[in-house]
Amino acid sequence: MIKADDETDGMQDPLAIYQAQIDAVSRSFWRRDWTQLMTLLALPTQLRTHDARITLHDHDETLAMMQELRDDLERMNVTEYHRIATKADYTDRDAGIIAGSHVTHLMRGGSHARAPYACRQFIRIEDGLWKCYDLDCAVHNRDLAVIGPETAKARRALPASESGADLIYQDWLDRCDAAFWVKDHAKLGAMMAYPHRFRAMDGACHFDTAADLIDAARDFRAHLRRTGVGQFYRVCTGATFVADGTAIEGRHMTHIRTELGYLHAPYPAKITLVLRNGRWLCGQLEAEARNADLVLFDQRHAQIDTADNRPTGG
């Protein structure tokens, strides 16, 4: 385990700190030392693959996901698990935050059980320890179940409670963000209710069809790519059931990161989810950001609402 106090005698090198932290995590994970492992993870945290993502808020859910992944590696007959740091630097030295990257090796008897894959994550000082959070894995979840099926199933089979609303809302955000990031336009369009209403600080609009919304999402994704964005994710800050449990009003923070910083300061937003035919769909979104700054929508695809006819939903 690497403590913040250990930043002496050469350990101020961020790459050395990062390697020591991921080594400590890897050892605990491989030995199934769950008590030790949980002291090395900062919550809440996101875990993202090419085609899936999940936001973990609490100890029990995080532990269950880690145990499922470890069991899956055993079924794959993986005999060794190694992660080699390739790059690390401080994003905020005073706050004790390091952004790093590494390559993960899953070995089976001297050869690779899966092709090595690159990862990026952050580590920060918390409670006197370096802890990791916000992990991106350059692998498809369908090929290597980093987010296991039982974890996903548990997330969606939720009771109608206040905490259940939070998790349903976050699960919807995670699946929507994953579809947006990998340009799964059909899935993205199918996750919305129409007309879909959108409101920014400097304008409002609505999309009458999935095709219109998909065109706007495609433009926004292209804009993020051109500006060097490597991470786009949203984290729930609260959600409640309304309308006798057939709708959820939720709030979240939107994070748009380049490699070592933010393209735009994280901003709050609100979404109303509606339950239709057993599926949660997004009917309205309100973002505390300016469309002029982020190019969230334009007149080519959206129906622009006048000032007197702006949507009022969250």
Side-chain angles (χ1 to χ4, degrees), residues 55-238:
T55 304
L56 301 165
H57 289 275
D58 62 50
H59 176 284
D60 291 345
E61 185 180 31
T62 305
L63 178 57
M65 195 201 78
M66 293 296 178
Q67 291 172 331
E68 183 178 13
L69 175 58
R70 182 65 183 86
D71 289 343
D72 192 46
L73 295 183
E74 185 167 328
R75 284 191 292 270
M76 292 166 54
N77 294 318
V78 172
T79 56
E80 297 178 54
Y81 175 80
H82 303 292
R83 299 190 294 171
I84 308 301
T86 56
K87 182 180 179 182
D89 205 352
Y90 284 97
T91 62
D92 188 331
R93 184 179 288 271
D94 292 336
I97 299 175
I98 293 174
S101 57
H102 60 272
V103 176
T104 299
H105 299 265
L106 304 178
M107 309 300 295
R108 180 193 298 143
S111 61
H112 282 96
R114 288 287 188 276
Y117 57 91
C119 300
R120 295 187 302 172
Q121 72 174 6
F122 292 84
I123 65 174
R124 69 171 182 251
I125 294 174
E126 186 177 296
D127 301 326
L129 297 174
W130 285 99
K131 301 189 178 188
C132 60
Y133 64 103
D134 282 2
L135 173 65
D136 281 272
C137 300
V139 65
H140 284 90
N141 206 67
R142 64 174 180 266
D143 298 328
L144 177 64
V146 179
I147 303 169
E150 291 303 315
T151 298
K153 180 180 178 181
R155 171 63 67 89
R156 290 162 199 167
L158 298 167
S161 65
E162 292 302 311
S163 60
D166 290 349
L167 293 176
I168 291 170
Y169 187 83
Q170 183 66 65
D171 180 67
W172 188 94
L173 292 175
D174 291 340
R175 289 183 291 114
C176 181
D177 293 350
F180 168 72
W181 197 247
V182 301
K183 305 176 189 176
D184 188 345
H185 304 305
K187 182 175 181 179
L188 185 69
M191 295 182 72
M192 309 298 169
Y194 299 95
H196 177 77
R197 302 191 178 278
F198 183 91
R199 183 174 177 180
M201 294 175 68
D202 55 349
C205 69
H206 64 273
F207 301 94
D208 289 327
T209 68
D212 291 335
L213 183 139
I214 286 169
D215 285 340
R218 184 183 289 114
D219 284 353
F220 182 42
R221 180 68 178 85
H223 169 68
L224 296 184
R225 184 177 62 249
R226 287 192 300 270
T227 51
V229 170
Q231 296 175 324
F232 175 90
Y233 59 96
R234 297 177 289 181
V235 178
C236 173
T237 56

Side-chain angles (χ1 to χ4, degrees), residues 193-312:
Y194 299 95
H196 177 77
R197 302 191 178 278
F198 183 91
R199 183 174 177 180
M201 294 175 68
D202 55 349
C205 69
H206 64 273
F207 301 94
D208 289 327
T209 68
D212 291 335
L213 183 139
I214 286 169
D215 285 340
R218 184 183 289 114
D219 284 353
F220 182 42
R221 180 68 178 85
H223 169 68
L224 296 184
R225 184 177 62 249
R226 287 192 300 270
T227 51
V229 170
Q231 296 175 324
F232 175 90
Y233 59 96
R234 297 177 289 181
V235 178
C236 173
T237 56
T240 57
F241 286 103
V242 295
D244 295 325
T246 61
I248 292 174
E249 292 182 349
R251 303 173 302 283
H252 62 271
M253 293 293 294
T254 300
H255 299 261
I256 305 176
R257 292 182 184 266
T258 58
E259 184 175 359
L260 292 177
Y262 279 100
L263 175 70
H264 186 284
Y267 59 87
K270 302 176 184 178
I271 280 179
T272 297
L273 298 178
V274 292
L275 185 61
R276 292 185 180 174
N277 298 320
R279 298 176 60 235
W280 290 101
L281 306 176
C282 176
Q284 300 183 100
L285 186 152
E286 181 178 349
E288 292 187 26
R290 287 173 50 83
N291 186 58
D293 297 332
L294 285 172
V295 196
L296 297 165
F297 63 86
D298 62 43
Q299 298 187 41
R300 291 180 301 163
H301 312 304
Q303 300 294 318
I304 304 301
D305 295 327
T306 65
D308 295 331
N309 192 34
R310 287 189 178 187
T312 57

Side-chain angles (χ1 to χ4, degrees), residues 30-67:
W30 195 247
R31 296 171 181 172
R32 299 178 184 268
D33 187 347
W34 307 121
T35 300
Q36 174 74 0
L37 178 65
M38 293 306 299
T39 67
L40 299 171
L41 307 181
L43 298 176
T45 186
Q46 273 230 350
L47 193 154
R48 298 177 287 274
T49 66
H50 284 322
D51 54 350
R53 64 183 62 196
I54 190 169
T55 304
L56 301 165
H57 289 275
D58 62 50
H59 176 284
D60 291 345
E61 185 180 31
T62 305
L63 178 57
M65 195 201 78
M66 293 296 178
Q67 291 172 331

